[in-house]
Amino acid sequence: MIVMEELDTCEVPAVDPQRVRRVQAKMTGELAAQRLAEIFAALSDSTRLRIVEALALEELCVCDLSAALGLSQSGTSHHLRTLRNLRLVKHRRAGRLVYYALDDEHIQRLFAQGLEHVREEMPRSLRAANEPGRAAGLPSEDGAR
């Protein structure tokens, strides 16, 4: 019988120096890795992910974004500040309103790929329940709620 711990380690220590050097030469530096970790940490919060998703669909003012997500404006602003500090979202002022949008298409692609990965793992019955609009109680394309 194979113990799970044994699957995670080599049975004998064997390092291939050429392979290690090739990988090390292509790996990102510590500063970039730290920055990426900060971005993933910010995106590990489901509320911030929902904000990213909403802004991937359309530029929104804080009031509209708060209403769309069912959050207070102060809570929404707090999350937006975190995302803005990491340059994941950008803002512009239009009179007395502040509009937010994703900083660039990389953020949208990062979210879309993560969501695609999650949906691939979901059973078919759960995928249907998690279609866009279903969480808000909107009818699906066939009119079902």
Side-chain angles (χ1 to χ4, degrees), residues 7-24:
L7 294 176
D8 295 336
T9 62
C10 297
E11 290 183 27
V12 295
V15 175
D16 182 337
Q18 290 177 333
R19 187 177 298 235
V20 171
R21 279 192 296 276
R22 278 194 313 268
V23 169
Q24 286 176 329

Side-chain angles (χ1 to χ4, degrees), residues 67-138:
L69 300 177
L71 300 172
S72 69
Q73 286 188 34
S74 64
T76 302
S77 293
H78 172 76
H79 287 294
L80 285 167
R81 189 174 316 112
T82 299
L83 295 171
R84 192 177 62 237
N85 288 342
L86 290 168
R87 291 187 41 234
L88 299 177
V89 300
K90 58 187 174 184
H91 68 285
R92 69 174 179 86
R93 185 170 289 280
R96 294 169 40 175
L97 299 176
V98 178
Y99 286 89
Y100 281 84
L102 295 184
D103 191 70
D104 61 31
E105 73 282 349
H106 297 111
I107 309 310
Q108 185 170 0
R109 286 196 319 253
L110 181 63
F111 175 81
Q113 287 182 341
L115 186 58
E116 180 181 350
H117 178 72
V118 167
R119 286 184 174 158
E120 285 176 354
E121 295 176 341
M122 285 182 159
R124 194 186 254 333
S125 60
L126 286 178
R127 270 188 255 158
N130 284 281
E131 287 177 2
R134 298 295 284 201
L138 300 175

